[in-house]
Amino acid sequence: MEAKITNLLELVNKLPEKQRKLFNRFYSVNLSESKLILPDKMREFVKIRFNSLKKVENQKIISINNNFTGEGSLFNELRSLRPLPKIKINKRELENKKNCLFCNPENFTPSDSFGRIKGKYCITASNIAKYDYFHSLIIFKEHNPLKIRKIWLRDYFETAEKWFLEVKKLDKEAKNNFLIWNCLWRSGASIIHGHMQLTSSKMKYGKVKKLEEISEKYKQKFNSDYFLDLFRVHKSLGLLREINGTKMLFYLTPVKEKEIVIFSKEKGFANLSDLIYKIIKNYFRLGVKSFNLSLYKIENYWIIHLVDRGNLEDKSSDIGGMELYGNSVISFDPFKLSEKFKL
Ligand SMILES: [Zn+2]
């Protein structure tokens, strides 16, 4: 049986009873075969574009919902073959440092009330238009965000850890740390120059709080740990890698393409920088140019999400009404992603 998302129901049926029951506790799955009729004038185009008339005329769509979190994904690999409107990108734009404020952060970005934290390869700045109580930036010394080195990444994270500590000295109630890295415009970044964003809030963010509540309720109801069981389900299907106790999941309900979720009980998140570096290098090898990374803590777990946001040349957003209010529409198979990843 080929490990692929459209075979999920068969793969689950082959699991030992205990693992199958656990999967079914977590997920609801539906496989549909959707049919359509192609007019004669479209057949030639479809043959070239999608490489098969049959695959288009009989489409397999697999829908997966996490029964606890409400996360849900609709998989159809044909979606990636659709013709999409493109914009012209000058590749040199990524190297264009002219008028880049972040290339000269000490003169052209504000500092926090406690000053700046300087790493070897980065510096902090206060965000000029904040979206939370404490909201600052890690500005990389390297302008081009697609140029990444292992030691640089470790330095960015270590500097972020120092910033979180500095903020706690100002207000110990601002204890909810959140780190994001939006890489290039598809991911929501407004500035090309490589940077991460840090927030420390008094109130937990909605999605973090919800996941915490789910984990607590799960403990009460099943006398088991939500996260450990989530790992077990992914492991039983070959969608989990373990690296020195850190778990890396090729997530069954990705929020968008190629989502990977890391769970780690490492003391500091900077210890995860080598793994994150490897994941990003894999992303680059698979053609990812723009991505989001988010990091936060629940119980003793650092939880890190990484997700591909599409081609830099794509004109339309990868997120529409479905992703905002329904399920996420996904074309990249998590089983294939796991196969292609080299750590
Ligand atoms: Zn720059």
Side-chain angles (χ1 to χ4, degrees):
M1 169 78 54
E2 193 189 345
K4 59 178 186 179
I5 200 76
T6 40
N7 286 343
L8 184 62
L9 288 170
E10 283 120 305
L11 292 167
V12 170
N13 278 336
K14 287 209 157 119
L15 291 177
E17 193 190 352
K18 208 175 149 193
Q19 293 178 3
R20 191 171 67 242
K21 276 190 173 163
L22 192 60
F23 178 93
N24 290 325
R25 180 196 286 177
F26 266 78
Y27 295 103
S28 299
V29 180
N30 185 267
L31 175 71
S32 347
E33 291 216 18
S34 182
K35 295 188 189 309
L36 53 76
I37 296 166
L38 291 166
D40 286 345
K41 284 197 171 151
M42 273 194 87
R43 296 176 83 82
E44 201 47 42
F45 159 76
V46 168
K47 229 190 266 175
I48 294 164
R49 183 89 217 178
F50 295 91
N51 219 358
S52 158
L53 285 176
K54 214 175 118 199
K55 266 192 186 169
V56 175
E57 287 169 329
N58 298 287
Q59 303 191 16
K60 277 189 176 178
I61 295 152
I62 190 141
S63 171
I64 310 176
N65 283 351
N66 179 315
N67 297 326
F68 301 106
T69 60
E71 293 163 312
S73 304
L74 299 162
F75 291 90
N76 182 356
E77 61 174 12
L78 284 186
R79 301 276 306 170
S80 66
L81 302 173
R82 288 171 307 153
L84 292 174
K86 303 276 181 200
I87 50 168
K88 262 211 171 130
I89 303 293
N90 185 348
K91 290 273 155 66
R92 274 177 302 182
E93 207 177 317
L94 300 185
E95 290 289 354
N96 183 7
K97 296 168 188 169
K98 212 177 143 200
N99 304 324
C100 175
L101 302 176
F102 283 10
C103 275
N104 192 351
E106 286 180 90
N107 287 320
F108 294 110
T109 66
S111 62
D112 282 307
S113 56
F114 52 80
R116 294 182 195 270
I117 300 168
K118 289 179 184 172
K120 218 170 163 187
Y121 305 103
C122 65
I123 189 166
T124 62
S126 195
N127 203 318
I128 199 154
K130 297 171 191 286
Y131 49 53
D132 213 332
Y133 179 36
F134 289 106
H135 182 190
S136 295
L137 306 170
I138 298 283
I139 299 178
F140 308 166
K141 276 198 179 153
E142 171 59 50
H143 170 89
N144 184 340
L146 298 180
K147 280 190 184 161
I148 298 167
R149 287 194 193 160
K150 206 187 271 188
I151 47 166
W152 297 355
L153 197 57
R154 177 168 275 273
D155 185 62
Y156 305 156
F157 285 124
E158 282 174 353
T159 307
E161 284 182 335
K162 286 178 193 156
W163 183 89
F164 286 125
L165 288 174
E166 207 56 48
V167 164
K168 296 300 159 293
K169 286 184 202 162
L170 288 180
D171 188 341
K172 59 180 186 299
E173 278 181 51
K175 58 187 170 198
N176 301 296
N177 299 341
F178 207 85
L179 178 150
I180 56 172
W181 179 6
N182 298 335
C183 180
L184 290 173
W185 52 88
R186 298 276 314 168
S187 72
S190 56
I191 287 175
I192 286 178
H193 188 119
H195 64 285
M196 295 179 183
Q197 303 187 51
L198 314 170
T199 65
S200 271
S201 58
K202 289 186 182 179
M203 197 167 86
K204 282 178 185 160
Y205 293 141
K207 286 182 180 166
V208 177
K209 188 163 177 272
K210 194 180 168 202
L211 189 54
E212 249 178 18
E213 286 166 2
I214 287 163
S215 161
E216 276 165 31
K217 277 185 198 154
Y218 189 91
K219 231 167 252 158
Q220 288 162 15
K221 193 169 175 190
F222 300 105
N223 194 27
S224 187
D225 184 277
Y226 174 83
F227 297 109
L228 289 179
D229 284 350
L230 182 78
F231 305 156
R232 286 184 183 115
V233 171
H234 280 77
K235 192 176 179 181
S236 68
L237 292 164
L239 296 174
L240 177 140
R241 304 261 178 104
E242 196 161 349
I243 307 103
N244 303 325
T246 291
K247 312 283 193 293
M248 174 181 160
L249 277 61
F250 299 93
Y251 212 48
L252 270 166
T253 50
V255 68
K256 211 52 211 175
E257 303 300 339
K258 306 183 189 81
E259 188 180 26
I260 283 171
V261 189
I262 299 169
F263 296 83
S264 181
K265 287 188 171 174
E266 281 287 345
K267 200 160 176 268
F269 60 81
N271 291 340
L272 298 167
S273 62
D274 287 4
L275 174 63
I276 293 169
Y277 174 80
K278 283 182 192 162
I279 294 173
I280 292 169
K281 282 286 167 184
N282 272 277
Y283 264 5
F284 288 171
R285 193 168 45 77
L286 296 173
V288 176
K289 289 284 192 313
S290 183
F291 59 86
N292 295 108
L293 178 152
S294 313
L295 179 150
Y296 53 91
K297 200 170 195 182
I298 289 185
E299 295 165 16
N300 289 321
Y301 287 108
W302 292 111
I303 304 182
I304 302 166
H305 298 255
L306 287 116
V307 65
D308 171 17
R309 295 303 305 280
N311 297 323
L312 294 176
E313 297 84 7
D314 285 349
K315 190 178 176 188
S316 42
S317 169
D318 58 337
I319 284 170
M322 270 308 287
E323 282 78 10
L324 289 174
Y325 302 114
N327 272 3
S328 292
V329 183
I330 311 290
S331 55
F332 209 95
D333 183 333
F335 288 96
K336 299 286 166 223
L337 185 63
S338 162
E339 248 174 59
K340 287 182 192 294
F341 250 71
K342 293 176 199 150
L343 291 177

